[in-house]
Amino acid sequence: MYCPEVLPDPLTTVLGQVRAMAGRDRFAVMSANQRASWLVGLRQLVDATEAVFTDAVSIFDSHGDGEVLHAARS
């Protein structure tokens, strides 16, 4: 299986920022409205990420990258 040694810089940055948000303590001290805002924002982040992922997989497949890297389709 192909595993990149280094992710592209924008992904490394975003992943680091999102991982830094982890921890129940952050949310425990918030009001219900603040927690709801976080939930809405996080869902938007997940949805946007899924859309970009879908685009990337489509291009990956159309270029035959799975066959090139793994001798298989994605």
Side-chain angles (χ1 to χ4, degrees), residues 6 58 68:
V6 178
S58 175
V68 170

Side-chain angles (χ1 to χ4, degrees), residues 47-70:
D47 291 346
T49 301
E50 287 287 349
V52 173
F53 180 83
T54 300
D55 289 344
V57 166
S58 175
I59 299 298
F60 185 88
D61 283 345
S62 70
H63 283 89
D65 294 342
E67 294 176 51
V68 170
L69 296 174
H70 306 293

Side-chain angles (χ1 to χ4, degrees), residues 1-66:
M1 178 177 175
Y2 175 77
C3 292
E5 292 180 22
V6 178
L7 293 174
D9 287 338
L11 294 178
T12 301
T13 300
V14 170
L15 280 170
Q17 291 172 341
V18 170
R19 287 177 176 150
M21 293 178 205
R24 294 178 53 92
D25 293 342
R26 166 189 301 276
F27 302 105
V29 298
M30 292 179 183
S31 69
N33 285 339
Q34 289 171 318
R35 282 191 291 273
S37 292
W38 269 88
L39 291 174
V40 169
L42 288 169
R43 182 74 257 166
Q44 290 174 355
L45 179 62
V46 169
D47 291 346
T49 301
E50 287 287 349
V52 173
F53 180 83
T54 300
D55 289 344
V57 166
S58 175
I59 299 298
F60 185 88
D61 283 345
S62 70
H63 283 89
D65 294 342

